[in-house]
Amino acid sequence: MKLQFDPSQAYQLDAINAIADLFEGQPLAKGDFELQVGHVEGQLQLEGDLLIGNNLVLGEENIVENLQGIQKRNGIDPSKVVAGFKEPLTAPIVQSRSLEQGMNFSVEMETGTGKTYVYLRTIHELHKRYGFKKFIIVVPSIAIKEGVMKNLQITKEHFDMLYEKPAMDFRIYDPKKRGQIKNFATTNTLQVLVINIDSFAKEETNIIYQKSDWGIPISYLQATRSIVIVDEPQNMETDIRKKAIENLQPLCTLRYSATHKNPYHLVYRLDPVSAYDLGLVKKIEVDSVLDEGGVNDAYVKLVSVSSAKNSITVKLEIDVNTAEGIKRKTVSIRKSPKGMTESDLYVLSNEREVYRNGYTVASVEVKLQSVTFSNGNTLAAGQTQGGNREAVMRLQIQKTVETHFAKERSLREKGIKVLSLFFIDRVSNYREYKDASVSKGKFALWFEEIFTEVANRPQYKGLIPYAVNDVHNGYFSQDKKGILKDTNGATKDDDDTYSLIMKDKEKLLSSDVPLRFIFSHSALREGWDNPNVFQICTLNETRSDMKKRQEIGRGLRLPVNQEGERVYDSDRNVLTVTANESYEDFAKTLQTEIEQECGVNFAGRIKDAHASVGITLKKGYKLDENFKALWERIKYKTSYRVSYDTETLIADASKAIAAKEFAAPKIRYLKGSITMTRQGIGTEFRDVDERTIEASVSGIPDVLNYIQDKTRLTKDTICRIILESGKAAAILKNPQQFMDTVVHEIHRILRGMMVDGIKYKRIAGDFWKMELFENDELKGYLEDMVQVQMQEKTLYDYVKVDSEIESQFARDLESRSDVRFYVKLPGWFKIETPIGSYNPDWAIVFEKDERIYFVAETKSSLDADDLRLHEEMKIKCAKRHFEELPGVHYEKVIRVQDIILKD
C-alpha cells in the first residue's frame, strides 16, 4: 500500500503559511532570478571547503512586523517585542525592534492532524519561496527519529509532484559516518538532516564536537546557518538541551508540538477542541469495565507512596464496613520518626474478617514505590490484589475483541482494516520464558479463547479469515538472546522495537496482512501511531506514568483505506478506549490534562460507550411516498466546470492592488541622549528629531516570471494587472513585497471568481441509490441525538445532531404540521466543489399551497462574515448544484420558520 496525501487541507496550509510568511520580503536566492559571477552569497570558506549555507537578508524589524501580522490573522496574542537602539551610541541613534525570545517560532497542532507532514512541507515551501537549502530536524527519541525518516520516505513522491522534483537529500545522523555532515554542508541542493538531541547535547563526549581529519563536524553545521526544526520541543527544555540547540547556531528555530511547555512566538494553533470539532481526529468513547461487588476476598490496591521531609504517607484502597454495607475507600497510613499510624487493615476496614491475618503493613519502600505486608506479599504502586482484577482484565479483552469485530464488519465496505492496541506493563503476561522454552502468558491465552469464540458467532463468521495465532503479536524490546523484556521506552533496547513498528506501518494497514491485535509495552509513546487503530485497551497492572493524551494519541489519526486514501466519516471514525476505570474518571482526567496543557475546555467531547444506541432505519422506507418523491428530485449527481472572464479578473485584481500601500525598506533614526546614573545607563529619545531615510534596492528580480510561476496566468494578463493598478513604480521601492502582494490578491480574486462562475450539469444515469441507506450501521450517543416521536415523518428512530441549533431544528421539523417529511442527509451524500466535497444538512418536504421540496443548511448566523471563507464558498457551490435540479429549493437558514417565510 502507498499512503496518499491531500495537498489542499486548509488547516495544514494555514500552518505552513504561518511559518513561510515570516520571511515575506526576503528576496529569492540569487540564482533564481539573476546571474552573478564571483563569490555567491551564502557560501563560506571553512578549512578549505566551500560551504553552502542559508542567507537571511531580511532585517529583524521586518520579521517582527510579519510575525505580528500572522499572529493577528490567526487570533494569537502578539509576541513581546524589545525596543532599543543600535551601536554606535552617537547621534543619530538607530532605533530597532527585536524579538524577546529570539528567532524561535512555534506551531501547535493536536496529535493526529499531520504535524510531521506540515513541517516537511514547510521545508519545501521555504526552499521554493526563498531558496533556503539547509534544514536540521531535531528529535527527542528513537521512536520519533524513525517516524520522521519514514515520513520523509513516503512523502517524497508527493512533494516531488507539488514542488517540481527539487534535488534533495535526507539522512539520519550517524556519528560513525562523519562524512555525512561534510556532505550536508558542502552540497548545493536541498539538504535535510535528522538528528537525535542526545547526539549533540554533551560537548565533552559527543563525537560531533571532536576534530576529525577534515575538521570539527559541529563547526560545519554552524556555518550553514541551518533552519532547525524541533519535533516535540517540550522534551528539550532542560538547560543542557536548550544550549545544544543554540550550539547549532541556526538561522531560526521552528518548534512543533501538541503540548508546548514554552510556545516561543506562537504563530499557529490547532488545539484539541478545534481538531475534534472539525473532524480532523477520531471521536473518543470510553468503554468502562469496573469491579463492582467483588468483596469476598481481601481486596487491596496500593494507590501511592509519597514522602515529605520527615514522613512517609501510604494510601491504600480497601473494602470497609459501613452502615450502608461494604464500600471501597482509600485509607492513609503515615510513618514518621515518632512511629507509624494504624497500619492493620483489619482495624482500618472496621474489622472485616478477610483482613484479620497477615494484612498489617510491615515495610515501605519509597524509591521502589511499594509496601510489604506481614504475610510477605508486596504490592507496587497501582498494583492490586484480591477482588476480581483478573476477571476485569479478561472482560476488557473480550469487550475490545467484540468492538473490533463490529467495526471490522462496519468498515469492510470502505476498505478500512481495523487495528486494536493493548497496553500492558509486564511482558510475562503475554510471553513467558522459562529456561529455553517460550510459552503464552495469560493475556495471550485469554485473547485466543475470546477471539475464537467471537469469530465463530454467526454475524462474524469468516469476517477475519486467519488463524488465531496469526492475528495477534507483541511489540517489545529484546535482549541479545531474543527474549522480550520490559523497558521504559527511552533506552537503546527499544531501538529494535521502534524500528519494527515504524518500518511496518504501511504493511500493517494492508488487509492481506493477518495482524490486527497488537500487544505493546507501556513504553510505546510519542513517535508511533497508526491511522487504523480504532481500539485501545489498557491492561496495566501497575500505575502507568503515561498520560491519557499519550494513550489516546496512538489512535487519534483518521483512518485510511486500502488505496492509502484518508477516510472522512464522522459517524464511524471513533476511537474506543476500554479502560479499567469509570467513564467519569477517565473523562475527568483527560479533560484536566487538556485544560492544563492547552488552556481549552474539552468537556463534553468524550463519550460514554455505554450511553450509545443504534440508530434503526424504519422498515419499508422505500414505500414512503414523501421520501420517494423527495429522493427522486435530489438524488442526481452533477459535474462542474469553472470559467471566469479575464477582463473582469484584470479589473478586480488591479483595483485590489491599487488599494495597497507599498513601503520601501527603511532605517529609522531618532536623535537622543545617553544618561548615566548610579542606577545604570539610560536612553532618552526626543521625537522632534525623528527622520527617515529610505534604503536603496540593490537588484530587481524577474517580476513577471515570479508571479506567473505562482498564479499560472499569462505574462500579458499579469502585465496588464500591474499597469492598470497604477502601482508599477512600487517595484523599485520593495520588489519582494510587491510580488508577494500581487500574488496574494490575484489568488484571492480568482478563488471568488471560480465559485461565482461555477456551472453544474447533471450526469446522465449517475445518481445516489436509495439502497445506500441500508449500508449505514449508525449509532450515536443519547446526548447528541433527538428521539423521533412521529416515525412517519422521517427514516430513523433517532436524529443525530451536532449543535443546539440542529437539535431545535429537528424538534421543530417534527412538531410542525406543514412539514410532511424530513431527513438528515447522510455523510455519503456529497456535492463536489473546487474546494472540496460538501455534505448538506437536511432534505425536507413541506406543504403550503403546493408541495415544496427543500434542502437546508443550518447555521447559527446567516451573515457571510461570520462563516469561514471556504465554508461560505461551498454553500454558494451547493446552491448552483441544486439550481440544476427542478423543483428543489436550497437555502442557508437558522430556523424552520425561515424556510416557510422564503416560500
Side-chain angles (χ1 to χ4, degrees), residues 107 138 176 186 205 213 249 255 340 380 403 436 438 553 588 709 764:
V107 171
V138 180
K176 296 177 183 178
T186 57
T205 57
D213 54 356
Q249 297 182 14
R255 301 164 184 270
M340 188 181 293
T403 304
V438 182
K588 182 179 179 181
D709 181 57

Side-chain angles (χ1 to χ4, degrees), residues 510-544:
S510 171
S511 58
D512 295 330
V513 175
L515 181 61
R516 280 158 168 76
F517 299 88
I518 302 164
F519 288 80
S520 178
H521 194 275
S522 57
L524 188 60
R525 301 190 180 192
E526 302 115 317
W528 185 84
D529 53 20
N530 192 294
N532 288 17
V533 170
F534 280 86
Q535 285 74 236
I536 291 177
C537 181
T538 55
L539 296 171
N540 308 61
E541 285 190 322
T542 59
R543 182 182 63 190
S544 173

Side-chain angles (χ1 to χ4, degrees), residues 664-878:
K666 295 178 181 179
I667 301 174
R668 182 173 295 147
Y669 292 89
L670 289 178
K671 189 174 183 180
S673 60
I674 304 298
T675 60
M676 284 187 168
T677 67
R678 292 185 182 277
Q679 285 70 41
I681 298 176
T683 308
E684 179 182 342
F685 293 104
R686 296 193 294 276
D687 292 339
V688 294
D689 293 323
E690 181 177 336
R691 51 198 174 95
T692 300
I693 297 177
E694 294 190 355
S696 60
V697 176
S698 58
I700 303 300
D702 187 336
V703 174
L704 295 182
N705 265 335
Y706 181 92
I707 298 173
Q708 184 182 46
D709 181 57
K710 294 184 180 298
T711 63
R712 305 301 181 191
L713 297 179
T714 66
K715 289 184 179 179
D716 179 64
T717 298
I718 296 167
C719 188
R720 287 186 58 193
I721 289 172
I722 293 173
L723 293 175
E724 291 183 23
S725 73
K727 294 286 187 176
I731 297 173
L732 299 175
K733 284 187 175 182
N734 193 330
Q736 194 66 41
Q737 183 194 24
F738 180 83
M739 293 188 299
D740 290 337
T741 300
V742 171
V743 168
H744 174 79
E745 292 303 318
I746 288 175
H747 278 153
R748 185 178 63 83
I749 300 294
L750 261 178
R751 280 196 299 268
M753 292 183 68
M754 285 173 65
V755 171
D756 290 341
I758 196 167
K759 292 186 182 298
Y760 281 88
K761 184 179 180 180
R762 272 174 48 175
I763 303 172
D766 197 3
F767 53 86
W768 297 110
K769 294 181 180 179
M770 195 182 289
E771 289 78 12
L772 288 172
F773 283 93
E774 299 171 21
N775 296 334
D776 277 345
E777 293 184 20
L778 301 177
K779 77 168 191 174
Y781 307 95
L782 290 173
E783 61 185 289
D784 298 328
M785 293 193 291
V786 174
Q787 188 168 11
V788 173
Q789 304 299 323
M790 302 175 70
Q791 185 67 71
E792 68 274 11
K793 295 183 72 168
T794 189
L795 295 183
Y796 298 100
D797 55 349
Y798 287 92
V799 179
K800 290 186 71 172
V801 294
D802 55 21
S803 67
E804 181 54 37
I805 293 288
E806 283 199 351
S807 181
Q808 186 60 52
F809 198 86
R811 289 192 290 268
D812 290 345
L813 286 170
E814 184 153 309
S815 64
R816 294 185 68 102
S817 60
D818 47 2
V819 174
R820 310 294 294 177
F821 184 87
Y822 69 93
V823 63
K824 186 82 182 293
L825 289 169
W828 45 260
F829 188 95
K830 292 180 178 178
I831 299 165
E832 296 306 319
T833 82
I835 48 177
S837 58
Y838 165 73
N839 173 219
D841 284 335
W842 307 88
I844 308 158
V845 179
F846 66 91
E847 198 154 10
K848 205 173 184 182
D849 298 328
E850 58 180 336
R851 192 156 293 189
I852 299 172
Y853 301 92
F854 200 93
V855 178
E857 177 73 20
T858 45
K859 293 296 177 187
S860 58
S861 170
L862 300 182
D863 189 343
D865 292 337
D866 293 336
L867 300 175
R868 288 186 290 270
L869 179 61
H870 70 278
E871 194 174 25
E872 181 64 23
M873 285 183 169
K874 286 184 179 181
I875 289 172
K876 285 184 178 180
C877 291

Side-chain angles (χ1 to χ4, degrees), residues 140-147 196 491-492 494-495 498-499 502:
S141 68
I142 296 166
I144 296 176
K145 179 180 70 176
E146 291 289 349
N196 194 316
T491 69
K492 290 185 178 179
D494 296 291
D495 201 347
Y498 295 131
S499 177
M502 298 303 170

